[in-house]
């Protein structure tokens, strides 16, 4: 009986060692000074896997992406997976860096000097190449209005008429 209890305890405990949900969250904040600040939260191991799969010869999920050695790879990866179209013109995001908070990376990006616009299309395909059930929650904030959307493999585009 003790072995059975130990087995179930081990089974339950081991399920907490690796997250089972594949999700990122992003906030696109349109400021009054004609800029767009983007904050992306993503699990460390998932982003490390994506970077190592795409740009490195080694396969690992424990890269320290804070290290400046990986700055260009993180920038390239995020800019290849998130796109911003403003009135049908694509805007490149400036990758500012990232920090760690618990088991997540928080990435900071910005688009400066936005023109006057009426239509915005945001696509977030982060980690879709790795996880079929990946979901990317997109929050958009402009003039105290907030809109949210869940990007999935079959539908990753959010269109806003502003």
């Amino acid at each position: 009986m003790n072995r059975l209890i130990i087995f179930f305890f081990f089974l339950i405990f081991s399920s907490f060692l690796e997250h089972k949900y594949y999700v990122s969250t992003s906030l696109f904040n349109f400021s009054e000074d004609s800029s767009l600040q983007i904050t992306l939260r993503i699990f460390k191991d998932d982003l490390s896997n994506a970077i190592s799969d795409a740009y490195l010869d080694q396969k690992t999920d424990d890269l320290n992406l804070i290290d400046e050695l990986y700055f260009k790879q993180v920038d390239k990866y995020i800019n290849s997976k998130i796109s911003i179209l403003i009135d049908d013109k694509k805007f490149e995001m400036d990758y500012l860096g990232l920090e760690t908070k618990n088991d997540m990376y928080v990435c900071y990006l910005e688009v400066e000097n936005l023109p006057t616009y009426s239509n915005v299309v945001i696509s977030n395909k982060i980690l879709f190449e790795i996880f079929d059930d990946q979901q990317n929650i997109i929050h958009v904030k402009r003039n105290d209005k907030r809109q949210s959307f869940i990007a999935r493999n079959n539908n990753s585009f959010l269109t806003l008429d502003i």
Side-chain angles (χ1 to χ4, degrees), residues 4-66:
L4 187 59
I5 291 171
I6 292 171
F7 173 74
F8 281 117
F9 178 77
F10 177 77
L11 187 64
I12 290 170
F13 180 75
S14 67
S15 68
F16 291 108
L17 294 178
E18 190 174 319
H19 63 91
K20 293 183 179 185
Y21 300 101
Y22 302 105
V23 66
S24 76
T25 59
S26 54
L27 172 62
F28 293 79
N29 186 21
F30 290 87
S31 69
E32 293 178 12
D33 66 350
S34 300
S35 68
L36 170 62
Q37 290 91 32
I38 301 135
T39 306
L40 171 67
R41 295 178 183 274
I42 187 168
F43 284 105
K44 285 177 163 181
D45 57 337
D46 294 341
L47 185 57
S48 293
N49 274 329
I51 298 300
S52 66
D53 285 354
Y55 304 109
L56 305 175
D57 293 334
Q58 63 197 36
K59 174 116 170 95
T60 182
D61 63 354
D62 62 353
L63 293 176
N64 180 6
L65 297 179
I66 297 285

Side-chain angles (χ1 to χ4, degrees), residues 80-145:
S80 72
K81 298 299 178 181
I82 295 177
S83 66
I84 301 165
L85 293 170
I86 297 177
D87 290 335
D88 297 323
K89 180 182 177 196
K90 184 173 180 166
F91 281 78
E92 189 81 8
M93 297 171 291
D94 294 324
Y95 173 65
L96 305 174
L98 58 82
E99 65 180 336
T100 60
K101 289 193 179 177
N102 300 323
D103 57 348
M104 306 211 53
Y105 281 122
V106 182
C107 306
Y108 301 99
L109 302 107
E110 184 175 41
V111 178
E112 294 182 305
N113 303 318
L114 293 176
T116 304
Y117 54 90
S118 61
N119 181 274
V120 177
V121 177
I122 298 171
S123 174
N124 183 342
K125 296 181 180 183
I126 294 282
L127 301 176
F128 284 175
E129 75 281 6
I130 298 177
F131 305 113
D132 290 334
D133 53 350
Q134 174 71 28
Q135 296 181 18
N136 298 321
I137 300 168
I138 300 171
H139 299 291
V140 178
K141 185 176 177 186
R142 181 169 187 256
N143 298 335
D144 295 327
K145 293 181 183 178

